[in-house]
């Protein structure tokens, strides 16, 4: 394979993204140190290309426009998705890195052809990676639905989730798709559940064995434990599913506005803070992946009353990103090709 030295050096990113995809599946955590060498490489290669184009015979106006689009649109877009909770921290860093590392199309010459096979007319390679990542992500719910159909699992959640025995919940990543009232897309995050259990120094099996005493806020420890980050197993990596702290407004007493003032309306036998949910969320720094007291209470109510629940494992975003990167380097822009077939590009 032949190509410019910067383009060949960019291929070093492929095995790194492959490793982060594997980590995303296994632990949902990627160490911050993973990105630093690639970020340094990306900056060096960008200046290398810019110098070569600037001192070249044509001036390379198109190159600088494409770089401006990549750095001015793709990178801020990834940051914006992180701000609103659409991306985890590792996901956002990965895509901002892609914007710097792959602003324009690389070219790799094989004996009979050149890769990528189908570049887009715009020529912004990071946008191609982004669109291919989105298309790769679309395949996920179809695969989930097919798997559930084969196993005879029929539910409103069959396109986005899977049934799991409650005893296995502590070793699963994802989000509950159930509340006591039925199906929901916004159920309890299982990382937040693990944080809660560690904070109060108990286990899910212990909670299920004696739910009434655990539901009583007087059973909370006087000195809670450090809740951690909810990881099953981690070496200190950053959660790729982490979310910004919740912006939910709070009253002067530290209770969410949606729940403030409800104590007076509670039945005489209802504890003021069932499960100690408000105290847990007030005690920790930031938020437990945007979890509200009501989400935590509803999730615990489902888990103590059920033997099997539906969860959405979510899409480990670095997996479709890795697939999108590989497809982009080999084939090019799949979306552009599809739009060209129907005369829209």
């Amino acid at each position: 394979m032949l190509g410019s030295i910067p383009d060949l050096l960019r291929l070093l990113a492929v095995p790194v993204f492959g490793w982060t995809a594997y980590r995303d599946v296994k632990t949902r955590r990627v160490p911050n140190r993973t990105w630093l060498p690639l970020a340094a490489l990306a900056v060096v290669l960008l200046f290398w290309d810019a110098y070569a184009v600037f001192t070249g015979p044509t001036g390379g106006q198109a190159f600088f426009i494409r770089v401006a689009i990549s750095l001015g649109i793709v990178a801020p877009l990834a940051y914006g998705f992180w701000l609103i909770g659409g991306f985890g921290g590792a996901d956002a860093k990965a895509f901002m890195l892609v914007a710097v590392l792959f602003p324009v199309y690389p070219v790799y010459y094989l004996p009979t052809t050149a890769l990528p096979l189908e570049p887009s007319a715009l020529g912004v390679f990071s946008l191609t990676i982004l669109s291919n990542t989105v298309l790769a992500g679309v395949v996920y719910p179809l695969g989930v639905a097919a798997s559930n159909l084969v196993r005879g699992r029929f539910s409103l959640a069959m396109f986005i989730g899977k049934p799991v025995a409650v005893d296995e919940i502590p070793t699963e990543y994802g989000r509950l798709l159930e509340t006591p009232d039925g199906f929901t897309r916004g159920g309890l995050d299982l990382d937040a559940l693990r944080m809660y259990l560690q904070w109060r120094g108990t286990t899910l099996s212990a909670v299920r064995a004696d739910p009434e005493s655990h539901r009583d806020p007087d059973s909370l420890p006087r000195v809670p434990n450090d809740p951690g980050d909810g990881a099953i197993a981690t070496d200190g990596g950053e959660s790729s599913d982490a979310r910004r702290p919740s912006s939910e407004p709070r009253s002067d007493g530290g209770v969410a506005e949606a729940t403030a003032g409800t104590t007076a309306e509670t039945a005489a036998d209802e504890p003021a803070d069932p499960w100690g949910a408000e105290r847990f969320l007030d005690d920790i720094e930031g938020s437990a992946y945007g979890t509200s007291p009501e989400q935590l209470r509803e999730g615990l109510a489902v888990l103590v009353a059920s033997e099997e629940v539906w969860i959405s494992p979510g899409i480990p975003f670095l997996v479709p990103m890795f697939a999108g990167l590989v497809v982009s380097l080999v084939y090019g822009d799949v979306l552009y090709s599809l739009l060209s077939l129907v005369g829209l590009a």
Side-chain angles (χ1 to χ4, degrees):
M1 179 184 292
L2 299 176
S4 69
I5 294 177
D7 283 349
L8 292 174
L9 289 174
R10 287 183 171 95
L11 292 178
L12 294 173
V14 176
V16 176
F17 273 89
W19 179 79
T20 62
Y22 172 80
R23 286 275 306 186
D24 206 9
V25 171
K26 291 296 184 180
T27 70
R28 296 296 202 275
R29 302 297 188 275
V30 178
N32 283 325
R33 62 180 180 272
T34 304
W35 310 115
L36 296 178
L38 280 183
L41 177 65
V43 172
V44 170
L45 296 181
L46 181 60
F47 277 102
W48 188 335
D49 279 342
Y51 177 78
V53 170
F54 184 75
T55 58
T58 62
Q61 183 179 7
F63 170 85
F64 291 105
I65 291 174
R66 289 163 179 163
V67 169
I69 292 173
S70 187
L71 300 184
I73 295 179
V74 177
L77 187 65
Y79 182 74
F81 271 109
W82 173 72
L83 283 178
I84 64 175
F87 277 176
D91 304 332
K93 289 177 182 178
F95 243 118
M96 287 189 282
L97 176 61
V98 163
V100 181
L101 189 60
F102 292 104
V104 300
Y105 268 78
V107 181
Y108 302 103
Y109 297 100
L110 300 177
T112 59
T113 188
L115 303 178
L117 298 172
E118 296 290 339
S120 69
L122 184 60
V124 181
F125 194 54
S126 58
L127 282 178
T128 291
I129 298 171
L130 176 59
S131 66
N132 285 345
T133 298
V134 172
L135 290 176
V138 169
V139 175
Y140 175 79
L142 299 178
V144 170
S147 175
N148 285 325
L149 281 173
V150 169
R151 291 169 171 80
R153 302 166 177 169
F154 300 98
S155 166
L156 291 174
M158 64 182 295
F159 285 91
I160 57 174
K162 64 179 181 178
V164 173
V166 170
D167 291 342
E168 298 176 6
I169 286 296
T171 58
E172 292 282 346
Y173 284 110
R175 182 180 292 272
L176 285 179
L177 294 174
E178 299 180 36
T179 70
D181 296 326
F183 172 77
T184 180
R185 289 292 303 273
L188 175 63
D189 189 297
L190 299 186
D191 278 1
L193 172 66
R194 279 184 286 272
M195 291 175 65
Y196 169 77
L197 294 173
Q198 180 170 320
W199 174 81
R200 70 176 296 168
T202 189
T203 64
L204 182 58
S205 60
V207 172
R208 283 169 53 80
D210 190 6
E212 287 307 314
S213 64
H214 284 84
R215 194 169 181 273
D216 184 352
D218 290 339
S219 68
L220 295 175
R222 285 187 297 176
V223 182
N225 298 317
D226 182 345
D229 68 352
I232 296 172
T234 179
D235 60 0
E238 180 180 8
S239 170
S240 63
D241 288 337
R243 298 290 184 261
R244 294 282 287 171
S246 174
S247 59
E248 182 183 10
R250 293 189 175 272
S251 67
D252 292 339
V255 179
E257 295 289 354
T259 60
T262 60
T263 303
E265 303 173 4
T266 304
D269 58 348
E270 178 78 2
D273 179 19
W275 304 101
E278 288 178 7
R279 180 179 163 189
F280 162 64
L281 293 170
D282 287 341
D283 187 61
I284 65 175
E285 294 183 6
S287 74
Y289 302 94
T291 301
S292 68
E294 193 60 27
Q295 280 178 314
L296 180 54
R297 292 177 188 133
E298 290 179 343
L300 289 167
V302 168
L303 292 172
V304 299
S306 307
E307 296 301 323
E308 184 178 81
V309 292
W310 282 80
I311 69 168
S312 171
I315 302 176
F317 191 77
L318 294 175
V319 176
M321 182 183 293
F322 173 62
L325 173 61
V326 173
V327 171
S328 300
L329 287 168
V330 176
Y331 180 80
D333 198 311
V334 176
L335 180 61
Y336 180 78
S337 296
L338 293 175
L339 293 176
S340 297
L341 285 176
V342 297
L344 296 178

